[in-house]
Amino acid sequence: MHFYQMITNDLNQMQGQIISFIGGGGKTSLALAIGNELAGNGLKVIVTTTTKIESVPGIPLILVKDNFMFERQLTSTLKNSNLVMVADRAYKANKLAGLAKDATGMLLSCADLVLVESDGSRQRSLKTHKDLEPVIPRKSTTVAIVCGADVVGKKLEDANVHRATLFSEKWQIKPGSRLTAEIVASELLSPTGYLKNIPLRAQIVLFVNKADTDMVAGQLLASKLQEM
């Protein structure tokens, strides 16, 4: 099975999509995996972000800020490469700052689809969102919610959960408590958390990552998500 099939089996239905990735535990890796698959099938794909992302060796990068030739440069680059990364600017080494959330729609005029990393988790498998998060473009047609299965059974602390204190307050769980599959699933399906800011007509896809390295935790989390 290809990763893009979690969204649709029909490659034609991928065209015109803006797919946003939120949560933790592998958003960038999933977006790039899908991007590479679709590019390999001849689609023109743009990967971008509304938060922050790292540049990827081998993938052409186009920056928007102060680039008056941006659209022409992007169009030209997509003629030679099916997969291109777009960001507002580079701010440190290979770190890239993202576009305004509603600026992503303009990219569709140059490509078949756009993949957007719309959330940050500081490489944690789970997070709790602040008021203005996640930063999902309003024209998103699909939103992929990503969570690492390895967080199940871990302690509620900053090493495992981005904004662990906020998570503790939200769910009234003591810091250091073990995270059950039920409480993780509750956060993923929370209308004040992961489901917040998702456009009404967008398809929602849940992706439990790292289940191959922790099959028991992956199965427990997947089962809870199906029950709720």
Side-chain angles (χ1 to χ4, degrees):
M1 177 177 175
H2 297 291
F3 285 107
Y4 75 79
Q5 291 177 304
M6 62 183 278
I7 298 168
T8 177
N9 290 320
D10 187 351
L11 284 170
N12 291 324
Q13 292 184 11
M14 298 298 296
Q15 297 194 29
Q17 289 225 35
I18 296 178
I19 304 171
S20 290
F21 299 81
I22 66 171
K27 295 182 301 297
T28 304
S29 296
L30 178 59
L32 290 173
I34 291 174
N36 278 299
E37 288 175 351
L38 297 176
N41 278 282
L43 295 180
K44 299 294 184 180
V45 184
I46 293 174
V47 176
T48 188
T49 182
T50 55
T51 56
K52 298 175 182 178
I53 200 170
E54 293 186 1
S55 58
V56 180
I59 298 180
L61 170 64
I62 309 294
L63 299 178
V64 175
K65 188 175 179 62
D66 298 327
N67 184 356
F68 300 105
M69 302 292 288
F70 165 72
E71 189 171 348
R72 182 179 297 181
Q73 186 180 0
L74 178 58
T75 301
S76 175
T77 304
L78 280 166
K79 287 181 180 179
N80 300 312
S81 176
N82 285 353
L83 182 63
V84 175
M85 183 172 284
V86 172
D88 183 60
R89 67 192 186 282
Y91 66 93
K92 184 174 65 175
N94 62 337
K95 306 289 186 180
L96 306 172
L99 305 178
K101 69 176 183 179
D102 291 325
T104 55
M106 68 176 182
L107 300 177
L108 270 181
S109 63
C110 300
D112 292 312
L113 73 155
V114 181
L115 308 178
V116 189
E117 183 165 329
S118 303
D119 207 358
S121 61
R122 295 192 177 180
Q123 299 184 329
R124 307 298 194 270
S125 289
L126 184 67
K127 71 171 291 185
T128 297
H129 293 91
K130 287 186 175 181
D131 290 342
L132 298 179
E133 297 175 317
V135 191
I136 303 171
R138 286 180 291 184
K139 291 185 178 180
S140 296
T141 53
T142 297
V143 176
I145 297 175
V146 184
C147 179
D150 60 334
V151 77
V152 175
K154 295 284 183 66
K155 291 182 178 180
L156 175 54
E157 56 189 19
D158 289 333
N160 301 317
V161 179
H162 183 33
R163 302 201 186 98
T165 300
L166 189 60
F167 189 100
S168 173
E169 294 170 353
K170 178 177 180 178
W171 296 104
Q172 298 183 345
I173 301 172
K174 291 182 179 180
S177 300
R178 296 288 176 180
L179 292 162
T180 64
E182 182 175 6
I183 196 62
V184 173
S186 296
E187 176 65 20
L188 296 179
L189 299 178
S190 170
T192 61
Y194 282 71
L195 298 185
K196 183 178 60 175
N197 298 340
I198 294 180
L200 289 176
R201 295 183 180 181
Q203 173 188 208
I204 298 174
V205 175
L206 290 162
F207 182 73
V208 178
N209 198 17
K210 304 180 183 179
D212 55 335
T213 58
D214 195 336
M215 293 183 63
V216 174
Q219 290 171 349
L220 284 171
L221 182 53
S223 295
K224 283 296 177 183
L225 289 168
Q226 289 175 335
E227 290 174 9
M228 298 175 74

